[in-house]
Amino acid sequence: CAARDAWFAPDCFSPQFLLGWPTESHDAREFPEMVCFYLGTPSPALRSGGHVGASIPTTTSGCTVCDAHGFALRRCHLPVVTFDGFHVEVMDMWEGLLREAGVVHEPEPHHIFDTLIPAAVLLDAANPPGIVPDFWADVSLPPYPAFGAGAAGAGARQPVGVRRLFFDVKGLQGGGSAYAGTRVQSGAVAARAARVDTDYRRHAQRLDQRHSPAMTTPIADRLRQYGAVRGLAHGAYAEGSPDVHHLASALADCIAHRVWRRWGARSEAEARSFVVARVRRIIGSTVARAMARHFLRRLPFVGLTRAAMDRRRQAVRARAARARDDGAGIDGLRAEDFHPAQPAARGGDAA
């Protein structure tokens, strides 16, 4: 039920797109889709285009029927690569926040396994080996796992010292068993993130069977040296898994520590309260927009025959990544953004 999922799934990231100003990078079709999906109502694009009930050509035999909310269209596997666009946008967001926080990090560290896995396998973009994390970062996060039955009391949720941690970004589309099987707030993304480390261990075992000497597991051993792979799962309602919240908080700490004097804040805590709100807005708005764009990129395929779909197989892949940080900072996290957010009168402040 769309209304049930829209009630149980959202968290503090989910409504953030409602609080931000639109920019020139927004497509006019995106915001209506974001609002309607957030509220659990049918898609305006599907209704106005008469696409409800139309067929969707998929990679499996037969066709999938398009529902009013677009769940099937978001989740189905098309014979073109259209899942990458969401991942690229969210990875750009995380890399920008990591740079802004001054956190040492590295995206896709292939070199960790380059002595154990053949280069042709490790760098195969068409069929990646599933063992290279999206990035590592030197941050202070609570121990893994920091949620669910595995957390040993409140102390397990406290951050520990700065460590090098592996992260993998996941996107979870609406509908399906992931959302239907939970009655816990944001439980779908928490469950998906909890499976990330197990999936990596399983991939390592398979790669050892193919590329390592018999009775040895060097790939699994190398992966184990770096600890658990943390899942950053973003859901269809822009909600985040526990480590999304933990990493956002850690990056807010780092940003506030770097800029509070330069921005003219009275204390690091004052700057942090502003930065936390803006980091949440950046994450929530980026994920909600990326989900809407993922849906709209797939909309032209509704009603196509399989033959027409095959003719589009060579279409342009996901749009290029946004421009790298040019030193001007992230929109919404600059000194000029800080002061308008503060109370107008500060006459009673201590000198």
Side-chain angles (χ1 to χ4, degrees), residues 73-150:
L73 182 60
R74 293 169 184 266
R75 295 197 320 270
C76 71
H77 291 275
L78 301 174
V80 289
V81 180
T82 54
F83 281 99
D84 287 359
F86 171 83
H87 189 269
V88 168
E89 289 191 53
V90 175
M91 272 298 300
D92 281 350
M93 174 201 71
W94 280 118
E95 287 193 58
L97 289 172
L98 288 163
R99 288 194 300 271
E100 189 72 16
V103 171
V104 179
H105 68 285
E106 180 183 3
E108 297 186 350
H110 294 90
H111 62 84
I112 294 172
F113 303 100
D114 58 6
T115 60
L116 304 174
I117 303 175
V121 175
L122 194 60
L123 302 177
D124 186 357
N127 187 26
I131 196 64
V132 179
D134 285 319
F135 64 92
W136 61 253
D138 292 343
V139 290
S140 174
L141 260 62
Y144 178 88
F147 50 90

Side-chain angles (χ1 to χ4, degrees), residues 253-335:
D253 289 341
C254 296
I255 294 172
H257 182 72
R258 295 182 66 197
V259 305
W260 74 274
R261 290 186 180 88
R262 174 157 47 92
W263 285 2
R266 291 170 293 184
S267 66
E268 184 175 333
E270 181 186 42
R272 186 187 185 279
S273 64
F274 167 80
V275 172
V276 166
R278 287 306 173 99
V279 167
R280 288 175 178 171
R281 186 174 301 178
I282 289 168
I283 295 173
S285 300
T286 300
V287 173
R289 185 172 63 247
M291 284 290 181
R293 288 174 174 173
H294 167 79
F295 169 76
L296 292 171
R297 279 193 297 269
R298 292 170 154 242
L299 193 59
F301 299 110
V302 178
L304 288 182
T305 64
R306 183 56 185 270
M309 174 66 84
D310 290 340
R311 288 195 297 269
R312 296 194 180 195
R313 189 181 292 268
Q314 301 302 321
V316 179
R317 295 183 66 182
R319 65 184 62 184
R322 296 188 302 273
R324 297 294 180 184
D325 184 31
D326 58 1
I330 295 180
D331 187 26
L333 273 175
R334 301 189 180 100

Side-chain angles (χ1 to χ4, degrees), residues 5-346:
D5 294 347
W7 174 260
F8 280 107
D11 62 7
C12 65
F13 294 115
S14 303
Q16 294 298 324
F17 72 93
L18 298 170
L19 308 176
W21 290 99
T23 67
E24 64 277 3
S25 64
H26 283 264
D27 187 318
R29 301 174 301 166
E30 294 168 3
F31 189 74
E33 293 298 329
M34 293 157 68
V35 172
C36 290
F37 195 84
Y38 174 68
L39 297 175
T41 58
S43 163
L46 291 176
R47 286 183 299 171
S48 61
H51 298 307
V52 178
S55 62
I56 307 171
T58 63
T59 54
T60 59
S61 58
C63 291
T64 299
V65 176
C66 185
D67 59 277
H69 294 85
F71 290 139
L73 182 60
R74 293 169 184 266
R75 295 197 320 270
C76 71
H77 291 275
L78 301 174
V80 289
V81 180
T82 54
F83 281 99
D84 287 359
F86 171 83
H87 189 269
V88 168
E89 289 191 53
V90 175
M91 272 298 300
D92 281 350
M93 174 201 71
W94 280 118
E95 287 193 58
L97 289 172
L98 288 163
R99 288 194 300 271
E100 189 72 16
V103 171
V104 179
H105 68 285
E106 180 183 3
E108 297 186 350
H110 294 90
H111 62 84
I112 294 172
F113 303 100
D114 58 6
T115 60
L116 304 174
I117 303 175
V121 175
L122 194 60
L123 302 177
D124 186 357
N127 187 26
I131 196 64
V132 179
D134 285 319
F135 64 92
W136 61 253
D138 292 343
V139 290
S140 174
L141 260 62
Y144 178 88
F147 50 90
R157 295 190 293 271
Q158 298 302 315
V160 297
V162 174
R163 298 168 295 158
R164 180 156 296 179
L165 301 175
F166 281 8
F167 294 94
D168 192 71
V169 174
K170 297 295 183 185
L172 190 63
Q173 300 300 324
S177 59
Y179 282 95
T182 182
R183 294 295 184 272
V184 179
Q185 201 73 39
S186 302
V189 287
R192 180 64 190 92
R195 297 196 304 269
V196 166
D197 186 61
T198 302
D199 292 343
Y200 267 80
R201 306 298 164 184
R202 189 177 297 114
H203 287 313
Q205 293 174 359
R206 292 172 180 169
L207 290 169
D208 274 323
Q209 293 173 359
R210 298 173 185 170
H211 306 291
S212 303
M215 306 302 292
T216 65
T217 58
I219 299 174
D221 295 340
R222 180 72 58 83
L223 181 65
R224 195 176 300 113
Q225 293 175 7
Y226 293 91
V229 180
R230 315 289 284 254
L232 300 176
H234 299 277
Y237 301 89
E239 77 275 23
S241 61
D243 274 332
V244 173
H245 291 263
H246 297 150
L247 184 56
S249 178
L251 296 181
D253 289 341
C254 296
I255 294 172
H257 182 72
R258 295 182 66 197
V259 305
W260 74 274
R261 290 186 180 88
R262 174 157 47 92
W263 285 2
R266 291 170 293 184
S267 66
E268 184 175 333
E270 181 186 42
R272 186 187 185 279
S273 64
F274 167 80
V275 172
V276 166
R278 287 306 173 99
V279 167
R280 288 175 178 171
R281 186 174 301 178
I282 289 168
I283 295 173
S285 300
T286 300
V287 173
R289 185 172 63 247
M291 284 290 181
R293 288 174 174 173
H294 167 79
F295 169 76
L296 292 171
R297 279 193 297 269
R298 292 170 154 242
L299 193 59
F301 299 110
V302 178
L304 288 182
T305 64
R306 183 56 185 270
M309 174 66 84
D310 290 340
R311 288 195 297 269
R312 296 194 180 195
R313 189 181 292 268
Q314 301 302 321
V316 179
R317 295 183 66 182
R319 65 184 62 184
R322 296 188 302 273
R324 297 294 180 184
D325 184 31
D326 58 1
I330 295 180
D331 187 26
L333 273 175
R334 301 189 180 100
E336 56 267 29
D337 300 312
F338 170 74
H339 293 285
Q342 307 311 305
R346 294 186 176 183

